[in-house]
Amino acid sequence: MEGSDPRKTDFIREIIDEDIRADKHGGRVHTRFPPEPNGYLHIGHAKSICLNFGIAEEYGGKCNLRFDDTNPSREEEEYVESIKEDVKWLGFDWEDRLYFASDYFGRMYDLSVDLVRNGNAYVDDLTGEEIRQYRGNLTTPGRESPFRDRPVEENLDLLERMRKGEFKDGEKVLRARIDMAHPNMNMRDPVIYRILKASHHNTGDKWCIYPMYDWAHGLEDSIEDITHSLCTLEFENHRPLYDWFLDHLDVYHPQQIEFARLNLTFTVMSKRKLLQLVENKLVTGWNDPRMPTISGMRRRGYPASSIREFCSRIGVAKINSTISFELLEHCVREDLNRTSPRSMGVLDPLKVTIENLPDDHEDLMEVKNNPEDPGAGTRSVPFSNELFIERSDFLEDPPRKFFRLSPGKEVRLRNAYLVTCTDVVKEGGEVVELICRADLDSRGGDAPDGRKVKGTLHWVSAKHAVEAEVRLYGKLFTVEDPLGVEGDFTDHLDPGSLNVLNGCKVEPSVREKRVGASFQFERLGYFMIDPDTTDDRLVINRTITLRDSWAKIQKK
Ligand code: ATP
Ligand code: MG
């Protein structure tokens, strides 16, 4: 696959181009990213962040970070902080434009009074259940509430008393007076305010009526002078209501544009579902490296630039689709391949003794940090007569095409020597050590006589090795669409998706890396230092293996 074309366009950018040509909004471009602080952000949000902040950057405009915190019960400070951290980490900057929708509660209320005054809203005494019954359905028109024709003065009085807390939760609501027979159900006198005697993380107990999403969102956009309000397709049939509210008030009118939400295979992309995994301890937290959250991907070792590249490659469209998880992995691998220094580490160590070197033999091998990047320099890797290799790189009784180590066979220890296995030490039937003879004329790994040696193994010096815990991750779910198959989605979690290996042996330079640093263990994949690392404990995550299954999928 080729790199992304920076001039790539899409239907949203075409609309914006046209708006600028027509001098709509005075040529301004002002977007916003409006998360509800009720969970951590996921990769779907990353698509929206890249789109909103990306468009603002491209057009020399602005993008706000706005917390859509109109719902009193669920919002939490922890979520606000995590969202800010994730947006920053992705590489975007809201500058001084951090807003909370709850700061607009006063303005929203005043505007609802205007709506009532103009006969466009009324206080309804029907219960929630009755309102549902009166709404009708797609084939039956709704019925008008008996309270629909209350005089304006009475509505103004009741609304004021709703705000003052004179009524119980659910006793009354404020509704728009639109059309109970409207073919679009959202237009059948939607609720604007409901009574909810609940504390809010920002406004405390100041309010006991809270605005509904459709009422609040357009006003938030209008108050912030947003030009293009980009949201996902499920809001398409809310747009007539978005427009109706703004048209019936004396306020600035932004334009709502819908795009398809991102869906990914082998995961779920709903904060509610992800919260369920966290609360039921089916994962270690919101930032579990198997989670599709931005914080999980960061902890797994996905570079921010690879997520931005992924979002650019998938683009934006009007039709919902599901993207292969392998495409995301492909972007991660491509990025890490360019940027990661190489190291050696052995996950499942098997001891090797070089019989023709003395016990006190020590040597330093000068090794390239990244063969793809000459600028990355070299490092010294200690070598001695006792080494570890990967247990799976030895077979006592190998099949014909096994080019790794077996009795009597010669292999290359990468950057070190050619060695031949001369003996196998066993305890209780299990291979515990290999004895090898090194060709001492092959230092660096090249045969002096040019003879071909097919297998190349990674290794670490036993004496110098640092012990590490390495965590390997698989896909969180065993099925492509956990919500689309029978049973609860949690039934399809893969119990083998986390594999913790203790007693891994890694080259000493890995100990010098800081938390969050990415690197490649030769032949094993890309890894990063996990934040669980302390002075006496080294914890390493495997970000991704080296095998690119996306390339294979593309060739099919
Ligand atoms: P969820 O269903 O996961 O709770 P949400 O849409 O309720 O998501 P919000 O906090 O309201 O979450 O979302 C903030 C912004 O991110 C919205 O503009 C929303 O449209 C966008 N967004 C959410 N999920 C996706 C997705 N999968 N793909 C693209 N954009 C998304
Ligand atoms: Mg939501």
Side-chain angles (χ1 to χ4, degrees), residues 33-36 42 44-45 47-48 230-232 259 261-262 269-271:
F33 173 63
E36 186 182 350
H42 51 61
H45 294 111
K47 173 176 179 175
S48 177
L230 313 178
C231 63
T232 38
F259 64 95
R261 63 193 293 124
L262 168 64
M269 205 94 84
S270 139
K271 283 183 279 188

Side-chain angles (χ1 to χ4, degrees), residues 341-345 369 379 507 509-510 513 519-522:
R342 272 53 167 173
S343 288
M344 289 195 285
N369 283 330
R379 70 185 188 287
E507 69 167 78
S509 68
V510 175
K513 295 181 190 293
F519 55 96
Q520 185 192 111
F521 272 142
E522 302 220 19

Side-chain angles (χ1 to χ4, degrees), residues 104-159:
Y104 310 145
F105 281 169
R107 292 278 290 284
M108 290 176 186
Y109 178 77
D110 292 346
L111 289 167
S112 75
V113 172
D114 288 351
L115 216 53
V116 170
R117 202 170 272 132
N118 295 326
N120 291 318
Y122 61 97
V123 173
D124 197 349
D125 296 3
L126 291 184
T127 64
E129 185 47 40
E130 286 166 333
I131 289 177
R132 250 188 308 283
Q133 283 165 9
Y134 274 63
R135 252 181 116 209
N137 55 39
L138 286 175
T139 50
T140 328
R143 276 181 296 144
E144 294 185 350
S145 162
F147 304 98
R148 196 174 196 262
D149 294 319
R150 270 180 166 147
V152 167
E153 284 315 313
E154 187 182 334
N155 281 321
L156 286 172
D157 175 60
L158 289 173
L159 175 58

